Amino acid sequence: MTRLRLADGTAPVLVVLVVLLAALAFAGPAYAEPSGYLALLKRAAPLVVLAVGQYFVVVSGGFDLSVGSLVTAEVVIAARLVDGDDANTSWVIALLLGFGLLVGLVNGLVTTKLLVPSFIVTLGMLLVLDGAVFLWTGGAPRGALSPSFRVAGRGGADVPLLGQVPWSVVVLLVVVGAAVWFMRGPTGRLLVAVGDNEKAVRLAGGRVDRLRLLAFVLSALLATVAAILLAGFAGVSAQVGQGLEFRAITAVVLGGVVLGGGRGSVVAAAAGAVTLEALFSLLNLLGVSGALESAVQGVIIIAAVAYAARGAALRRLFPRRRPTAKPSTVDRI
Amino acid sequence: MAARELPVRHRAFAFTPVVVVYLALAALLVVGSVLVALDGGVLLDHGGVLNILTRSTVLGLVAIGQTLVIVTGSLDLSVAYLAGLCSLVAAETMAGSTAMIVPGVLAALAVAAVVGLVNGLVITVLKANAFIATLGVALVLRGYLEHNYTGPAGSVPRAFQHVGYDRIGPVPVSALLMLALAAAAWWYLRRTRTGYHMYAVGGDIDVARLSGVRTGRTIVTAHVVCAVMAGLAGVFLASRLGSGAPYVGTDAGYDLESIAAVVLGGTALAGGRGGVAGTIGGVLILATLDTIFDDLGVNSFFKDVVRGVVLVVAVALYARGRHTGRQA
């Protein structure tokens, strides 16, 4: 017997997402066709990629507050080094990935070796990166991106029936698919276990430090990918990544991933990011001013987290038949 | 006999985080004085002391409240927008009239208390994680501010500006007020029942609950006090600026900066350990760093870089030898 297996806390965000998508279809004629939803996914792609990276860190019990400033730094560096020349695109992208790797390694090593809470480590990294970017650019980034650098964020492939499928949607699907595959493997399961009970994993012989380090590196690398996508369609500025770290954490939590670690699925985190983007699109269509957008975002995330936290009590009121064997923590991916 | 006394004496002079913070502050003052002197200036002259103390006042007010919240094992990310909101409430209520000073201050503090209450209730009743709960409240406040204000509003009577600018010798009255509040907060944390409960809740909330502590009430109290302190910071900012400014709190980054000061002062981010004395040391260190950089004419963005490194290094030093492995 096959049935759709959802991790705890995944269902609510999917319900909210479906409701939002239905509302979008009523509110805007653009959403009567696949192209409207593809455009939505294209806008959501950078946040989804960031949220997947943030998920790795959050589920293992940490925070990564540095991703927003890392995105800014990557975009500014790319513009300066590419300088509008197509010939530079490939080595600059390689260099950006290297820079992301370095930032992730520093975050992870300081957290695991110097025992500094990840909140402080990545906050420090945020300050350092923000300061360094402004120091380097004086607030106005120089240089320009090349057309080939922008392909990932702007371009697309023609597919029958769907029309043009943006490359960023392809990247999104690849990242989410790879993340799901990774989380189903032994390393992914251990990562969740670290967030749930670090001591137990340590006693069982798991290399906790290495797993945490891996989470930070993955987060920083995915932030680099998000930066490349964002640079493609948003352009170059010193504010491009501002606030993205909180938005990514919001998306992850909206997906029912528990801060402090140990619970939540990667699909839900990605769905949380799409939900946020769908919410913003809907507010836009309904003519809600940009200023109130953040107020609505605030109310929504409080409601979502409160629902997830109080959900246990609600579920007791409306019991559902459950498999007799309660899945162990490690199985709850 | 001597052998028995020794460990006691040794413990009295232990390198607690508070001692380390003030040693670091002293070292920073010495190194800063030398650097500034090499540059042809004087760090600790009349103006320098005034500068350090003035910078410390607002951040100090916010950080005192943040200390209570963090000791309780919680976190408040809404203080920056709240300070901006309260500066507006105070300035708009006063509207330039001396008679409205007291109502203006009270209105601002009342608004702050309500926001703190909401923070506390969302965390305790709705069981939302403090990070998300206060981030959500911060976003709501931001939405309100962005929707209703485009720039400074309201005005403060001249009489009220004395709070921000008067001083006794080189010491601003406001800095004395801040230190008095810090002393009050220290007394509250160390000498009252609720203060002890905050440490208990931050140390282990389940144990505290089983020991009969009303954990929810303790957390709500911490958040209300924290918000009122942020409100005071807003009122003080209004007094200095002469009007309310919506983004005065966020431009200075009081949310993350206050958390940084608290952690720099040796308070554990996971809760249950630390206190106000260390926080004031942390605030003074940040203010001194800023003043030194200003005197040296260092690029303002370089300050952020150094601040980030100092923060991480400081916490790393505390964590050494204390292999708790707790994450926050």
Side-chain angles (χ1 to χ4, degrees):
Chain A
M1 189 173 91
T2 58
R3 88 162 84 161
L4 190 61
R5 279 190 56 207
L6 291 173
D8 280 350
T10 306
V13 71
L14 292 179
V15 172
V16 174
L17 181 57
V18 168
V19 170
L20 278 174
L21 291 179
L24 273 175
F26 278 107
Y31 293 93
E33 292 169 39
S35 61
Y37 293 102
L38 281 176
L40 173 71
L41 275 182
K42 178 181 169 183
R43 282 197 303 277
L47 188 60
V48 171
V49 172
L50 271 182
V52 169
Q54 190 73 243
Y55 166 82
F56 292 130
V57 178
V58 170
V59 88
S60 66
F63 279 107
D64 191 347
L65 296 179
S66 68
V67 290
S69 54
L70 179 57
V71 166
T72 307
E74 301 272 27
V75 170
V76 170
I77 293 173
R80 182 82 163 251
L81 294 181
V82 170
D83 212 14
D85 188 353
D86 269 334
N88 291 331
T89 302
S90 45
W91 71 264
V92 168
I93 287 183
L95 187 114
L96 292 182
L97 287 169
F99 185 70
L101 181 72
L102 183 73
V103 169
L105 277 176
V106 171
N107 278 339
L109 285 175
V110 175
T111 305
T112 55
K113 298 298 174 208
L114 300 183
L115 302 176
V116 179
S118 58
F119 187 93
I120 296 292
V121 176
T122 54
L123 172 58
M125 183 58 86
L126 181 157
L127 289 172
V128 169
L129 286 176
D130 263 359
V133 162
F134 271 91
L135 199 59
W136 197 40
T137 61
R142 267 167 289 171
L145 296 169
S146 61
S148 61
F149 191 94
R150 290 177 178 266
V151 163
R154 280 192 182 164
D158 285 318
V159 172
L161 292 177
L162 289 176
Q164 206 195 38
V165 175
W167 287 121
S168 57
V169 174
V170 177
V171 171
L172 179 159
L173 293 175
V174 169
V175 166
V176 172
V180 167
W181 173 77
F182 172 76
M183 290 312 290
R184 282 174 191 267
T187 317
R189 281 161 191 249
L190 262 183
L191 199 62
V192 181
V194 167
D196 192 42
N197 190 340
E198 179 183 327
K199 212 172 274 178
V201 176
R202 217 182 275 278
L203 290 174
R207 295 169 186 272
V208 173
D209 286 0
R210 210 177 275 189
L211 286 163
R212 281 190 191 284
L213 184 62
L214 179 67
F216 281 104
V217 168
L218 287 175
S219 173
L221 285 177
L222 287 176
T224 308
V225 174
I228 294 170
L229 293 181
L230 260 180
F233 70 81
V236 181
S237 87
Q239 277 84 40
V240 63
Q242 218 165 49
L244 275 182
E245 61 280 347
F246 285 129
R247 208 170 263 206
I249 293 176
T250 304
V252 168
V253 172
L254 202 57
V257 180
V258 175
L259 286 181
R263 217 131 37 100
S265 81
V266 66
V267 174
V274 179
T275 305
L276 263 190
E277 208 60 50
L279 178 69
F280 291 143
S281 303
L282 183 63
L283 291 178
N284 238 335
L285 274 177
L286 296 178
V288 176
S289 89
L292 278 181
E293 225 178 67
S294 63
V296 173
Q297 190 189 351
V299 172
I300 295 274
I301 65 168
I302 291 178
V305 176
Y307 174 76
R310 301 298 293 189
L314 289 177
R315 276 194 291 277
R316 265 199 299 281
L317 284 178
F318 307 101
R320 248 188 340 188
R321 211 173 302 155
R322 296 213 146 223
T324 41
K326 194 171 180 287
S328 76
T329 308
V330 181
D331 283 343
R332 250 193 272 139
I333 306 289
Chain B
M1 289 290 276
R4 282 188 65 191
E5 275 171 22
L6 201 60
V8 176
R9 195 175 284 174
H10 180 73
R11 201 178 295 156
F13 290 102
F15 281 98
T16 60
V18 177
V19 176
V20 175
V21 174
Y22 284 95
L23 284 179
L25 177 62
L28 182 65
L29 284 171
V30 171
V31 173
S33 296
V34 170
L35 284 177
V36 174
L38 287 176
D39 201 48
V42 185
L43 175 65
L44 287 178
D45 58 359
H46 197 276
V49 173
L50 186 68
N51 209 341
I52 292 177
L53 289 175
T54 309
R55 280 174 197 273
S56 304
T57 303
V58 191
L59 182 59
L61 288 172
V62 180
I64 291 167
Q66 192 76 261
T67 309
L68 263 62
V69 172
I70 292 181
V71 159
T72 315
S74 192
L75 199 65
D76 193 344
L77 293 173
S78 68
V79 284
Y81 287 109
L82 183 56
L85 177 67
C86 289
S87 76
L88 286 165
V89 171
E92 290 198 322
T93 310
M94 289 180 199
S97 138
T98 313
M100 294 300 282
I101 288 181
V102 174
V105 172
L106 289 180
L109 297 189
V111 167
V114 169
V115 172
L117 191 65
V118 171
N119 276 332
L121 290 179
V122 169
I123 292 166
T124 53
V125 176
L126 297 182
K127 305 242 179 286
N129 179 289
F131 186 94
I132 290 296
T134 56
L135 177 62
V137 169
L139 288 171
V140 172
L141 293 180
R142 175 182 157 189
Y144 176 79
L145 289 174
E146 281 183 356
H147 193 62
N148 294 298
Y149 296 96
T150 50
S155 81
V156 164
R158 187 161 280 279
F160 190 60
Q161 291 206 309
H162 284 299
V163 179
Y165 286 100
D166 278 8
R167 50 184 198 254
I168 305 169
V171 183
V173 171
S174 51
L176 289 177
L177 190 73
M178 187 271 283
L179 289 175
L181 283 168
W186 178 86
W187 174 83
Y188 180 66
L189 271 178
R190 298 291 165 135
R191 294 286 181 270
T192 67
R193 181 189 296 245
T194 335
Y196 277 127
H197 285 175
M198 286 179 183
Y199 282 100
V201 170
D204 192 322
I205 190 166
D206 293 324
V207 172
R209 184 178 291 122
L210 293 175
S211 312
V213 174
R214 292 179 196 272
T215 53
R217 202 177 281 186
T218 310
I219 293 172
V220 171
T221 308
H223 273 282
V224 170
V225 175
C226 177
V228 169
M229 293 302 281
L232 268 178
V235 169
F236 172 72
L237 285 166
S239 142
R240 271 192 84 82
L241 296 171
S243 67
Y247 304 116
V248 68
T250 40
D251 284 346
Y254 285 132
D255 37 10
L256 297 179
E257 196 92 329
S258 66
I259 295 172
V262 171
V263 173
L264 203 57
T267 299
L269 201 48
R273 236 185 348 234
V276 177
T279 298
I280 296 301
V283 169
L284 285 172
I285 286 182
L286 290 177
T288 308
L289 267 180
D290 267 359
T291 309
I292 293 172
F293 287 141
D294 276 3
D295 282 1
L296 294 177
V298 169
N299 185 304
S300 69
F301 302 115
F302 183 66
K303 288 196 288 201
D304 272 350
V305 177
V306 174
R307 196 174 293 161
V309 172
V310 165
L311 182 62
V312 172
V313 169
V315 180
L317 288 177
Y318 296 143
R320 276 177 72 89
R322 203 172 62 195
H323 288 247
T324 51
R326 277 175 93 168
Q327 294 289 316

